[in-house]
Amino acid sequence: MDRSSLEELLTPVVSASDPTSYSVRVAVLPDGERPEADDWHAAEWKTIGGIPHASLLVGPDGVVELGPGAYRVWVEITAPPEKPVVASPRFSIN
Protein backbone atom coordinates (compact mmCIF):
# COMPACT_ATOMS: atom_id res chain seq x y z
CA MET A 1 0.00 0.00 0.00
CA ASP A 2 1.31 3.46 -0.81
CA ARG A 3 1.23 6.04 2.02
CA SER A 4 -0.57 8.58 -0.22
CA SER A 5 -3.40 6.12 -0.98
CA LEU A 6 -6.82 6.44 0.70
CA GLU A 7 -8.47 3.03 0.64
CA GLU A 8 -10.36 0.36 2.51
CA LEU A 9 -8.12 -1.88 4.55
CA LEU A 10 -9.85 -5.28 4.50
CA THR A 11 -8.82 -7.88 7.08
CA PRO A 12 -10.29 -11.38 6.60
CA VAL A 13 -11.71 -13.05 9.70
CA VAL A 14 -11.84 -16.83 9.88
CA SER A 15 -14.50 -18.08 12.27
CA ALA A 16 -16.49 -21.24 12.96
CA SER A 17 -19.67 -19.16 12.66
CA ASP A 18 -20.64 -15.91 10.91
CA PRO A 19 -19.26 -13.03 13.03
CA THR A 20 -20.94 -10.23 11.05
CA SER A 21 -23.85 -9.82 13.49
CA TYR A 22 -21.36 -8.67 16.17
CA SER A 23 -19.61 -5.32 16.51
CA VAL A 24 -16.04 -5.12 15.27
CA ARG A 25 -13.18 -2.75 16.02
CA VAL A 26 -9.80 -2.46 14.34
CA ALA A 27 -6.41 -1.14 15.47
CA VAL A 28 -3.56 -0.62 12.98
CA LEU A 29 -0.18 -0.47 14.70
CA PRO A 30 3.51 -0.74 13.89
CA ASP A 31 4.64 -4.36 13.89
CA GLY A 32 5.61 -5.43 17.41
CA GLU A 33 3.17 -3.13 19.24
CA ARG A 34 -0.03 -4.22 20.98
CA PRO A 35 -3.21 -2.11 20.98
CA GLU A 36 -4.12 0.17 23.88
CA ALA A 37 -7.63 1.52 24.55
CA ASP A 38 -7.18 4.63 22.35
CA ASP A 39 -5.90 2.61 19.35
CA TRP A 40 -9.26 0.96 18.55
CA HIS A 41 -11.58 2.28 15.80
CA ALA A 42 -15.11 1.18 14.93
CA ALA A 43 -15.02 -0.86 11.73
CA GLU A 44 -17.59 -2.35 9.37
CA TRP A 45 -18.11 -5.84 8.05
CA LYS A 46 -17.76 -6.58 4.33
CA THR A 47 -18.30 -10.09 3.00
CA ILE A 48 -16.18 -10.88 -0.05
CA GLY A 49 -16.35 -14.30 -1.68
CA GLY A 50 -18.24 -15.62 1.33
CA ILE A 51 -15.46 -14.54 3.74
CA PRO A 52 -16.15 -11.80 6.32
CA HIS A 53 -13.64 -8.94 6.41
CA ALA A 54 -13.25 -6.15 8.96
CA SER A 55 -13.10 -2.92 6.95
CA LEU A 56 -11.50 0.41 7.90
CA LEU A 57 -10.66 3.43 5.71
CA VAL A 58 -6.93 4.22 5.98
CA GLY A 59 -4.71 6.87 4.46
CA PRO A 60 -4.84 10.66 4.22
CA ASP A 61 -8.20 11.85 5.61
CA GLY A 62 -9.06 8.26 6.59
CA VAL A 63 -9.74 6.90 10.06
CA VAL A 64 -6.04 6.01 10.36
CA GLU A 65 -3.15 7.70 8.56
CA LEU A 66 0.01 5.60 8.18
CA GLY A 67 3.60 6.49 7.35
CA PRO A 68 6.16 4.18 5.79
CA GLY A 69 6.83 1.03 7.79
CA ALA A 70 5.64 -2.44 8.75
CA TYR A 71 2.23 -2.79 10.46
CA ARG A 72 -0.26 -5.32 11.81
CA VAL A 73 -4.02 -5.06 11.93
CA TRP A 74 -5.68 -6.09 15.18
CA VAL A 75 -9.36 -7.09 15.06
CA GLU A 76 -11.59 -7.19 18.14
CA ILE A 77 -15.04 -8.78 17.90
CA THR A 78 -17.56 -8.23 20.68
CA ALA A 79 -19.53 -11.50 20.83
CA PRO A 80 -20.79 -11.73 24.44
CA PRO A 81 -19.60 -13.28 26.60
CA GLU A 82 -16.50 -13.53 24.38
CA LYS A 83 -14.34 -10.71 22.99
CA PRO A 84 -11.69 -12.34 20.78
CA VAL A 85 -8.75 -10.24 19.59
CA VAL A 86 -6.68 -11.46 16.63
CA ALA A 87 -3.70 -10.00 14.77
CA SER A 88 -3.14 -10.09 11.02
CA PRO A 89 0.09 -10.99 9.26
CA ARG A 90 2.49 -8.09 8.86
CA PHE A 91 2.06 -5.70 5.90
CA SER A 92 4.09 -2.75 4.64
CA ILE A 93 3.40 0.87 3.72
CA ASN A 94 5.74 2.42 1.17
Side-chain angles (χ1 to χ4, degrees), residues 17-41:
S17 60
D18 181 7
T20 60
S21 63
Y22 300 113
S23 64
V24 62
R25 298 191 311 166
V26 169
V28 184
L29 298 170
D31 188 29
E33 292 186 20
R34 293 188 55 85
E36 300 289 334
D38 291 342
D39 295 324
W40 293 105
H41 305 281

Side-chain angles (χ1 to χ4, degrees), residues 2-82:
D2 187 86
R3 66 180 171 260
S4 63
S5 181
L6 176 64
E7 59 187 89
E8 250 182 339
L9 179 61
L10 297 167
T11 306
V13 175
V14 177
S15 176
S17 60
D18 181 7
T20 60
S21 63
Y22 300 113
S23 64
V24 62
R25 298 191 311 166
V26 169
V28 184
L29 298 170
D31 188 29
E33 292 186 20
R34 293 188 55 85
E36 300 289 334
D38 291 342
D39 295 324
W40 293 105
H41 305 281
E44 297 180 359
W45 287 111
K46 303 274 176 128
T47 301
I48 301 167
I51 299 170
H53 291 69
S55 171
L56 188 71
L57 190 63
V58 298
D61 298 320
V63 176
V64 175
E65 194 166 337
L66 304 171
Y71 294 88
R72 284 193 194 273
V73 177
W74 294 79
V75 177
E76 176 191 75
I77 302 165
T78 302
E82 297 179 4

